[in-house]
Every structure is written in C-alpha cells, then in structure tokens.
Amino acid sequence: LLLIKNHLGGVFDVSAGEFISILDVAQIIAKETGAEVIPGKNIGNNPRVVTSPKIPNWDPTVSLELGIKKLIEVAPKKLRQT
C-alpha cells in the first residue's frame, strides 16, 4: 500500500470487492499451515463502505487463498535473507 501511495498519490482500494471476515482469513491461513483457529466470543462489526478509488487499470488476478498460500511459501525464505 505504501508503494501505491507513493507512486499514485493517494490511498486506493486493492480488494476484490467482496467482504471476508478476519475469521475467514484465519481459517485460510490455518488450512495452509496446519494451525488451529480458536475463535473469540466477541462478534465484530460490519465493515465500513470503502470509498477509496480502485487502482487505475488494475484488477486482482490472484485469489485471496492463492495469495496467502504463496505468501506462506515465500515469507520464510525472504525473512532468512534479511
């Protein structure tokens, strides 16, 4: 997001346009890592409506699930390089 902000001069919506809960994201991560998700008892609020514009001439080409899977594969290698 910082890279986008610096080069395009603003804050942009990089979502695929659909709502996903933190619990859903945690479950995707757990599926890829073998971790266990232990949900809390508090229920969150609905997300506020995103009013930021989309990045010009850009559409997501990777699903959230695939993006998380790739991040989990690449992150340990990148962290060892630092």
Coordinates of all heavy atoms in Angstrom, one line a residue:
L1 N 0.8 -1.2 0.0 CA 0.0 0.0 0.0 C 0.9 1.2 0.0 O 0.6 2.2 -0.6 CB -0.9 0.0 1.2 CG -2.0 1.0 1.2 CD1 -2.9 0.9 -0.1 CD2 -2.9 0.8 2.4
L2 N 2.0 1.2 0.7 CA 2.9 2.4 0.7 C 3.4 2.7 -0.7 O 3.5 3.8 -1.1 CB 4.1 2.1 1.7 CG 5.1 3.2 1.8 CD1 4.4 4.5 2.3 CD2 6.2 2.8 2.8
L3 N 3.8 1.6 -1.4 CA 4.3 1.8 -2.8 C 3.2 2.4 -3.6 O 3.5 3.3 -4.4 CB 4.7 0.4 -3.3 CG 5.2 0.4 -4.8 CD1 6.5 1.1 -4.9 CD2 5.4 -1.0 -5.3
I4 N 2.0 2.0 -3.5 CA 0.9 2.5 -4.3 C 0.7 4.0 -3.9 O 0.6 4.8 -4.7 CB -0.4 1.7 -4.0 CG1 -0.2 0.3 -4.5 CG2 -1.6 2.4 -4.6 CD1 -1.3 -0.7 -4.0
K5 N 0.8 4.3 -2.6 CA 0.5 5.6 -2.2 C 1.6 6.6 -2.7 O 1.3 7.7 -3.2 CB 0.5 5.7 -0.6 CG 0.2 7.0 -0.1 CD 0.0 7.0 1.4 CE -0.3 8.4 1.9 NZ -0.4 8.4 3.4
N6 N 2.9 6.1 -2.6 CA 4.0 7.0 -3.1 C 3.9 7.3 -4.6 O 4.2 8.4 -5.0 CB 5.3 6.3 -2.7 CG 5.6 6.4 -1.3 OD1 5.0 7.2 -0.5 ND2 6.5 5.6 -0.8
H7 N 3.6 6.3 -5.4 CA 3.6 6.5 -6.8 C 2.3 7.0 -7.4 O 2.4 7.7 -8.5 CB 4.0 5.2 -7.5 CG 5.4 4.8 -7.2 ND1 6.5 5.4 -7.8 CD2 5.9 3.8 -6.4 CE1 7.6 4.9 -7.4 NE2 7.3 3.9 -6.5
L8 N 1.2 6.8 -6.8 CA -0.1 7.2 -7.4 C -0.7 8.4 -6.6 O -1.7 9.0 -7.0 CB -1.1 6.1 -7.4 CG -0.7 4.9 -8.3 CD1 -1.7 3.8 -8.2 CD2 -0.6 5.4 -9.8
G9 N -0.1 8.8 -5.5 CA -0.5 10.0 -4.8 C -1.8 9.8 -4.1 O -2.6 10.8 -4.0
G10 N -2.1 8.7 -3.5 CA -3.3 8.6 -2.7 C -3.5 7.2 -2.2 O -2.6 6.3 -2.3
V11 N -4.6 6.9 -1.5 CA -4.9 5.6 -1.0 C -5.9 5.0 -1.9 O -6.9 5.6 -2.3 CB -5.5 5.7 0.4 CG1 -5.9 4.4 1.0 CG2 -4.5 6.4 1.4
F12 N -5.7 3.7 -2.3 CA -6.5 3.0 -3.2 C -7.0 1.7 -2.7 O -6.4 1.1 -1.9 CB -5.8 2.7 -4.5 CG -5.4 4.0 -5.3 CD1 -4.3 4.7 -5.0 CD2 -6.3 4.5 -6.3 CE1 -4.0 5.9 -5.7 CE2 -6.0 5.6 -7.0 CZ -4.9 6.3 -6.7
D13 N -8.2 1.3 -3.1 CA -8.8 0.0 -2.8 C -8.2 -1.1 -3.6 O -8.3 -1.1 -4.8 CB -10.3 0.1 -3.1 CG -11.1 -1.2 -2.8 OD1 -10.5 -2.1 -2.3 OD2 -12.2 -1.2 -3.2
V14 N -7.6 -2.0 -2.9 CA -6.9 -3.2 -3.7 C -7.7 -4.5 -3.4 O -7.1 -5.5 -3.6 CB -5.4 -3.3 -3.3 CG1 -4.7 -2.1 -3.8 CG2 -5.3 -3.6 -1.8
S15 N -8.9 -4.4 -3.0 CA -9.7 -5.6 -2.7 C -10.3 -6.1 -4.0 O -10.3 -5.5 -5.0 CB -10.8 -5.2 -1.7 OG -11.8 -4.5 -2.4
A16 N -10.8 -7.3 -3.9 CA -11.5 -7.9 -5.0 C -13.0 -7.6 -5.0 O -13.8 -8.1 -5.8 CB -11.3 -9.4 -5.0
G17 N -13.4 -6.7 -4.0 CA -14.7 -6.2 -4.0 C -15.7 -7.1 -3.2 O -16.9 -6.9 -3.2
E18 N -15.2 -8.1 -2.4 CA -16.1 -8.9 -1.6 C -15.6 -8.9 -0.2 O -14.5 -8.8 0.1 CB -16.2 -10.3 -2.2 CG -14.9 -11.1 -2.1 CD -15.0 -12.5 -2.7 OE1 -15.1 -12.5 -4.0 OE2 -14.9 -13.4 -2.0
F19 N -16.6 -9.0 0.7 CA -16.3 -9.0 2.2 C -15.8 -10.3 2.6 O -16.3 -11.4 2.1 CB -17.6 -8.6 2.9 CG -17.5 -8.8 4.4 CD1 -16.8 -7.9 5.2 CD2 -18.0 -10.0 5.0 CE1 -16.6 -8.1 6.5 CE2 -17.9 -10.1 6.4 CZ -17.2 -9.2 7.2
I20 N -14.8 -10.3 3.4 CA -14.3 -11.5 4.1 C -14.0 -11.2 5.5 O -13.3 -10.2 5.8 CB -13.1 -12.2 3.3 CG1 -12.7 -13.5 3.9 CG2 -12.0 -11.2 3.2 CD1 -11.8 -14.4 3.1
S21 N -14.4 -12.0 6.4 CA -14.1 -11.8 7.8 C -12.7 -12.1 8.2 O -12.0 -12.9 7.5 CB -15.1 -12.5 8.7 OG -14.9 -13.9 8.7
I22 N -12.3 -11.6 9.4 CA -11.0 -12.0 9.9 C -11.0 -13.5 10.2 O -10.0 -14.2 10.0 CB -10.7 -11.2 11.2 CG1 -10.7 -9.7 10.9 CG2 -9.5 -11.7 11.9 CD1 -9.5 -9.3 10.0
L23 N -12.1 -14.0 10.7 CA -12.2 -15.5 11.0 C -12.0 -16.3 9.7 O -11.2 -17.3 9.7 CB -13.5 -15.8 11.6 CG -13.8 -17.3 11.9 CD1 -12.7 -17.9 12.8 CD2 -15.2 -17.5 12.5
D24 N -12.6 -15.8 8.6 CA -12.4 -16.5 7.3 C -10.9 -16.5 6.9 O -10.4 -17.5 6.4 CB -13.2 -15.9 6.2 CG -14.7 -16.1 6.4 OD1 -15.1 -17.0 7.1 OD2 -15.5 -15.3 5.8
V25 N -10.2 -15.3 7.0 CA -8.8 -15.2 6.7 C -8.0 -16.2 7.6 O -7.1 -16.9 7.1 CB -8.3 -13.8 6.8 CG1 -6.8 -13.7 6.6 CG2 -9.0 -12.9 5.8
A26 N -8.3 -16.2 8.9 CA -7.6 -17.1 9.8 C -7.8 -18.5 9.4 O -6.8 -19.3 9.5 CB -8.1 -16.8 11.2
Q27 N -9.0 -18.9 9.0 CA -9.2 -20.3 8.6 C -8.4 -20.6 7.3 O -8.0 -21.8 7.2 CB -10.7 -20.5 8.4 CG -11.4 -20.5 9.7 CD -12.9 -20.6 9.6 OE1 -13.5 -20.1 8.7 NE2 -13.6 -21.1 10.7
I28 N -8.3 -19.7 6.4 CA -7.5 -19.9 5.2 C -6.0 -20.1 5.6 O -5.3 -21.1 5.1 CB -7.6 -18.8 4.2 CG1 -9.0 -18.7 3.6 CG2 -6.6 -18.9 3.1 CD1 -9.3 -17.4 2.9
I29 N -5.5 -19.3 6.5 CA -4.1 -19.4 7.0 C -4.0 -20.8 7.7 O -3.0 -21.5 7.5 CB -3.8 -18.2 7.9 CG1 -3.7 -17.0 7.1 CG2 -2.4 -18.5 8.6 CD1 -3.6 -15.7 7.9
A30 N -4.9 -21.1 8.5 CA -4.8 -22.4 9.3 C -4.8 -23.6 8.3 O -4.0 -24.5 8.6 CB -6.0 -22.5 10.2
K31 N -5.6 -23.5 7.3 CA -5.6 -24.6 6.3 C -4.3 -24.8 5.7 O -3.8 -25.9 5.5 CB -6.7 -24.3 5.3 CG -6.8 -25.3 4.2 CD -7.8 -24.9 3.1 CE -7.6 -25.7 1.9 NZ -8.4 -25.2 0.8
E32 N -3.6 -23.7 5.4 CA -2.3 -23.8 4.7 C -1.1 -24.1 5.7 O -0.1 -24.6 5.2 CB -2.0 -22.4 4.0 CG -2.9 -22.1 2.9 CD -2.8 -23.2 1.8 OE1 -1.7 -23.7 1.5 OE2 -3.9 -23.5 1.2
T33 N -1.3 -23.8 6.9 CA -0.2 -24.0 7.9 C -0.4 -25.2 8.9 O 0.5 -25.5 9.6 CB 0.0 -22.7 8.7 OG1 -1.2 -22.5 9.5 CG2 0.4 -21.6 7.9
G34 N -1.6 -25.7 8.9 CA -1.9 -26.8 9.8 C -2.2 -26.2 11.2 O -2.3 -27.0 12.2
A35 N -2.4 -24.9 11.4 CA -2.7 -24.3 12.7 C -4.1 -24.5 13.0 O -5.0 -24.9 12.2 CB -2.4 -22.8 12.6
E36 N -4.5 -24.3 14.3 CA -5.9 -24.4 14.7 C -6.4 -23.0 15.0 O -5.7 -22.2 15.6 CB -5.9 -25.2 16.0 CG -7.3 -25.3 16.6 CD -7.4 -26.0 17.9 OE1 -6.3 -26.4 18.5 OE2 -8.5 -26.2 18.5
V37 N -7.6 -22.7 14.5 CA -8.2 -21.5 14.8 C -9.1 -21.6 16.0 O -10.0 -22.5 16.0 CB -9.1 -21.0 13.5 CG1 -9.8 -19.7 13.9 CG2 -8.2 -20.8 12.3
I38 N -8.9 -20.7 16.9 CA -9.8 -20.7 18.1 C -10.5 -19.4 18.1 O -9.9 -18.3 18.5 CB -8.9 -20.9 19.4 CG1 -8.1 -22.2 19.3 CG2 -9.8 -20.8 20.6 CD1 -7.1 -22.3 20.4
P39 N -11.7 -19.3 17.6 CA -12.4 -18.0 17.5 C -12.8 -17.5 18.9 O -13.0 -18.2 19.9 CB -13.7 -18.4 16.8 CG -13.8 -19.8 16.6 CD -12.5 -20.4 17.1
G40 N -12.8 -16.2 19.0 CA -13.2 -15.5 20.2 C -14.7 -15.5 20.3 O -15.4 -16.0 19.5
K41 N -15.1 -14.9 21.4 CA -16.6 -14.9 21.7 C -17.2 -13.6 21.2 O -18.4 -13.5 21.0 CB -16.8 -15.0 23.2 CG -16.4 -16.4 23.7 CD -16.7 -16.6 25.2 CE -16.2 -17.9 25.6 NZ -16.3 -18.2 27.0
N42 N -16.4 -12.6 21.0 CA -17.0 -11.3 20.5 C -17.2 -11.3 19.0 O -16.3 -11.8 18.3 CB -16.1 -10.1 20.9 CG -16.0 -9.9 22.4 OD1 -16.9 -10.3 23.1 ND2 -14.9 -9.4 22.9
I43 N -18.3 -10.8 18.6 CA -18.6 -10.7 17.2 C -18.2 -9.3 16.7 O -18.6 -8.3 17.4 CB -20.0 -11.0 16.9 CG1 -20.3 -12.5 17.3 CG2 -20.4 -10.8 15.4 CD1 -21.8 -12.9 17.1
G44 N -17.5 -9.1 15.7 CA -17.1 -7.8 15.2 C -18.2 -7.1 14.5 O -19.4 -7.6 14.4
N45 N -17.9 -5.9 14.0 CA -18.9 -5.0 13.3 C -18.8 -5.3 11.8 O -17.8 -5.8 11.3 CB -18.6 -3.6 13.6 CG -18.8 -3.3 15.1 OD1 -19.6 -3.8 15.7 ND2 -17.9 -2.4 15.6
N46 N -19.8 -4.9 11.1 CA -19.7 -4.9 9.7 C -18.7 -3.9 9.2 O -18.5 -2.9 9.8 CB -21.1 -4.5 9.1 CG -22.1 -5.6 9.3 OD1 -21.8 -6.8 9.4 ND2 -23.4 -5.2 9.4
P47 N -18.0 -4.2 8.1 CA -17.0 -3.3 7.6 C -17.7 -2.0 7.1 O -18.8 -2.0 6.6 CB -16.4 -4.1 6.4 CG -17.4 -5.0 6.0 CD -18.2 -5.4 7.2
R48 N -16.9 -0.9 7.2 CA -17.4 0.3 6.6 C -17.3 0.3 5.1 O -16.5 -0.5 4.6 CB -16.7 1.5 7.2 CG -15.3 1.6 6.9 CD -14.6 2.7 7.7 NE -13.2 2.7 7.5 CZ -12.5 3.4 6.7 NH1 -13.1 4.3 6.0 NH2 -11.2 3.3 6.6
V49 N -18.1 1.0 4.4 CA -18.0 1.0 3.0 C -16.7 1.7 2.5 O -16.3 2.8 3.0 CB -19.2 1.8 2.4 CG1 -19.1 1.9 0.9 CG2 -20.5 1.1 2.8
V50 N -16.0 1.0 1.6 CA -14.8 1.5 1.1 C -15.1 2.6 0.1 O -15.8 2.4 -0.9 CB -13.9 0.4 0.4 CG1 -12.7 1.0 -0.2 CG2 -13.6 -0.6 1.5
T51 N -14.6 3.8 0.3 CA -14.8 4.9 -0.7 C -13.6 5.3 -1.5 O -13.6 6.2 -2.3 CB -15.3 6.1 0.1 OG1 -14.4 6.5 1.1 CG2 -16.7 5.9 0.8
S52 N -12.5 4.5 -1.2 CA -11.3 4.8 -2.0 C -11.4 4.3 -3.4 O -12.0 3.3 -3.7 CB -10.1 4.1 -1.3 OG -9.9 4.5 0.0
P53 N -10.8 5.0 -4.3 CA -10.9 4.5 -5.7 C -10.0 3.3 -6.0 O -9.1 3.0 -5.2 CB -10.4 5.7 -6.5 CG -9.5 6.4 -5.6 CD -10.1 6.2 -4.2
K54 N -10.4 2.6 -7.0 CA -9.6 1.4 -7.4 C -8.3 1.9 -8.1 O -8.2 3.1 -8.6 CB -10.3 0.6 -8.4 CG -11.5 -0.2 -7.9 CD -11.0 -1.4 -7.1 CE -12.1 -2.3 -6.8 NZ -11.6 -3.5 -6.0
I55 N -7.2 1.1 -8.1 CA -6.0 1.5 -8.8 C -6.3 1.5 -10.3 O -6.9 0.6 -10.8 CB -4.9 0.5 -8.5 CG1 -4.6 0.5 -7.0 CG2 -3.7 0.8 -9.3 CD1 -3.6 -0.6 -6.6
P56 N -5.9 2.6 -11.0 CA -6.2 2.6 -12.4 C -5.7 1.5 -13.2 O -4.5 1.1 -13.0 CB -5.5 3.9 -12.8 CG -5.4 4.7 -11.6 CD -5.2 3.7 -10.5
N57 N -6.5 0.9 -14.1 CA -6.1 -0.2 -15.0 C -5.5 -1.4 -14.2 O -4.6 -2.1 -14.7 CB -5.0 0.3 -16.0 CG -5.5 1.4 -16.8 OD1 -6.6 1.4 -17.3 ND2 -4.7 2.5 -16.9
W58 N -6.1 -1.7 -13.0 CA -5.7 -2.9 -12.3 C -6.9 -3.7 -11.8 O -7.9 -3.1 -11.3 CB -4.8 -2.4 -11.1 CG -4.3 -3.6 -10.3 CD1 -3.2 -4.4 -10.5 CD2 -4.9 -4.2 -9.1 NE1 -3.1 -5.3 -9.5 CE2 -4.2 -5.2 -8.6 CE3 -6.1 -3.9 -8.4 CZ2 -4.5 -6.0 -7.5 CZ3 -6.4 -4.6 -7.3 CH2 -5.6 -5.7 -6.9
D59 N -6.8 -5.0 -11.9 CA -7.8 -5.9 -11.3 C -7.0 -7.0 -10.7 O -5.9 -7.4 -11.2 CB -8.7 -6.4 -12.4 CG -9.7 -5.4 -12.9 OD1 -10.4 -4.8 -12.0 OD2 -9.8 -5.2 -14.1
P60 N -7.5 -7.6 -9.6 CA -6.8 -8.7 -8.9 C -6.8 -9.9 -9.9 O -7.7 -10.2 -10.6 CB -7.6 -9.0 -7.7 CG -8.9 -8.3 -7.9 CD -8.7 -7.2 -8.9
T61 N -5.6 -10.6 -9.9 CA -5.5 -11.8 -10.8 C -5.3 -13.0 -9.9 O -5.2 -14.1 -10.5 CB -4.4 -11.6 -11.8 OG1 -3.2 -11.4 -11.1 CG2 -4.7 -10.5 -12.8
V62 N -5.1 -12.9 -8.7 CA -4.8 -14.0 -7.8 C -5.8 -14.0 -6.7 O -6.1 -12.9 -6.1 CB -3.4 -13.8 -7.1 CG1 -3.1 -14.9 -6.1 CG2 -2.3 -13.9 -8.2
S63 N -6.4 -15.1 -6.4 CA -7.4 -15.2 -5.3 C -6.8 -15.0 -4.0 O -5.5 -15.2 -3.8 CB -8.1 -16.6 -5.3 OG -7.2 -17.6 -4.9
L64 N -7.5 -14.6 -3.0 CA -7.0 -14.5 -1.6 C -6.4 -15.8 -1.1 O -5.3 -15.7 -0.6 CB -8.1 -14.0 -0.7 CG -7.7 -13.9 0.8 CD1 -6.7 -12.8 0.9 CD2 -8.9 -13.6 1.7
E65 N -7.0 -16.9 -1.4 CA -6.5 -18.2 -0.9 C -5.1 -18.5 -1.6 O -4.2 -18.9 -0.9 CB -7.5 -19.3 -1.3 CG -8.7 -19.3 -0.5 CD -9.8 -18.3 -1.1 OE1 -9.6 -17.7 -2.1 OE2 -10.9 -18.3 -0.5
L66 N -5.0 -18.2 -2.9 CA -3.7 -18.5 -3.5 C -2.7 -17.5 -3.1 O -1.5 -17.8 -2.9 CB -3.9 -18.4 -5.1 CG -2.6 -18.7 -5.9 CD1 -2.0 -20.1 -5.5 CD2 -2.9 -18.6 -7.3
G67 N -3.0 -16.2 -2.9 CA -2.1 -15.2 -2.4 C -1.6 -15.6 -1.0 O -0.4 -15.4 -0.8
I68 N -2.4 -16.0 -0.1 CA -2.0 -16.4 1.2 C -1.1 -17.6 1.1 O 0.0 -17.7 1.8 CB -3.2 -16.7 2.1 CG1 -3.9 -15.4 2.5 CG2 -2.8 -17.5 3.4 CD1 -5.2 -15.6 3.2
K69 N -1.4 -18.6 0.3 CA -0.6 -19.8 0.1 C 0.8 -19.4 -0.4 O 1.8 -19.9 0.1 CB -1.2 -20.8 -0.9 CG -0.5 -22.0 -1.1 CD -1.2 -23.0 -2.0 CE -0.4 -24.3 -2.2 NZ -1.1 -25.3 -2.9
K70 N 0.9 -18.5 -1.4 CA 2.2 -18.1 -1.9 C 3.0 -17.3 -0.9 O 4.2 -17.5 -0.8 CB 1.9 -17.2 -3.2 CG 1.5 -18.0 -4.4 CD 1.4 -17.0 -5.6 CE 1.1 -17.8 -6.8 NZ 1.2 -16.9 -8.0
L71 N 2.3 -16.5 -0.1 CA 3.0 -15.7 0.9 C 3.6 -16.6 2.0 O 4.7 -16.4 2.4 CB 2.0 -14.7 1.6 CG 2.5 -13.9 2.8 CD1 3.7 -13.0 2.3 CD2 1.5 -13.1 3.4
I72 N 2.8 -17.7 2.4 CA 3.3 -18.6 3.4 C 4.5 -19.4 2.8 O 5.5 -19.7 3.5 CB 2.2 -19.6 3.8 CG1 1.2 -18.8 4.6 CG2 2.7 -20.8 4.6 CD1 -0.1 -19.5 4.9
E73 N 4.6 -19.7 1.5 CA 5.7 -20.4 0.9 C 6.9 -19.4 0.8 O 8.0 -19.9 1.0 CB 5.3 -20.8 -0.5 CG 4.3 -21.9 -0.5 CD 3.8 -22.2 -1.9 OE1 4.2 -21.6 -2.9 OE2 3.0 -23.2 -2.0
V74 N 6.7 -18.2 0.5 CA 7.8 -17.3 0.2 C 8.4 -16.6 1.4 O 9.6 -16.3 1.5 CB 7.4 -16.2 -0.9 CG1 8.4 -15.1 -1.0 CG2 7.1 -16.9 -2.2
A75 N 7.5 -16.3 2.4 CA 7.9 -15.4 3.5 C 9.1 -16.0 4.3 O 10.0 -15.2 4.6 CB 6.7 -15.2 4.5
P76 N 9.1 -17.3 4.6 CA 10.3 -17.8 5.4 C 11.6 -17.6 4.7 O 12.7 -17.2 5.2 CB 10.0 -19.3 5.6 CG 8.5 -19.4 5.5 CD 8.1 -18.3 4.5
K77 N 11.6 -17.8 3.3 CA 12.8 -17.6 2.5 C 13.3 -16.1 2.6 O 14.4 -15.8 2.7 CB 12.6 -18.0 1.1 CG 12.3 -19.5 1.0 CD 11.8 -19.8 -0.5 CE 11.2 -21.2 -0.5 NZ 10.6 -21.5 -1.8
K78 N 12.3 -15.2 2.4 CA 12.6 -13.8 2.4 C 13.1 -13.3 3.8 O 14.0 -12.5 3.9 CB 11.4 -13.0 2.0 CG 10.9 -13.2 0.6 CD 12.0 -12.6 -0.4 CE 11.5 -12.7 -1.8 NZ 12.5 -12.2 -2.7
L79 N 12.5 -13.9 4.8 CA 12.9 -13.5 6.2 C 14.4 -13.9 6.5 O 15.1 -13.3 7.2 CB 12.0 -14.0 7.2 CG 10.6 -13.4 7.2 CD1 9.7 -14.1 8.2 CD2 10.7 -11.9 7.7
R80 N 14.8 -15.1 6.0 CA 16.1 -15.6 6.2 C 17.1 -14.8 5.4 O 18.3 -14.7 5.8 CB 16.2 -17.1 5.7 CG 15.6 -18.0 6.7 CD 16.0 -19.5 6.4 NE 15.4 -19.9 5.1 CZ 14.3 -20.6 5.0 NH1 13.5 -20.8 6.1 NH2 13.8 -21.0 3.8
Q81 N 16.7 -14.1 4.4 CA 17.6 -13.2 3.6 C 18.0 -11.9 4.3 O 18.9 -11.3 3.9 CB 17.0 -13.0 2.2 CG 16.9 -14.2 1.3 CD 16.2 -13.9 0.0 OE1 15.7 -12.8 -0.2 NE2 16.1 -14.9 -0.8
T82 N 17.2 -11.5 5.2 CA 17.4 -10.2 5.9 C 18.3 -10.4 7.1 O 18.6 -11.4 7.6 CB 16.1 -9.6 6.4 OG1 15.4 -10.5 7.3 CG2 15.2 -9.3 5.2

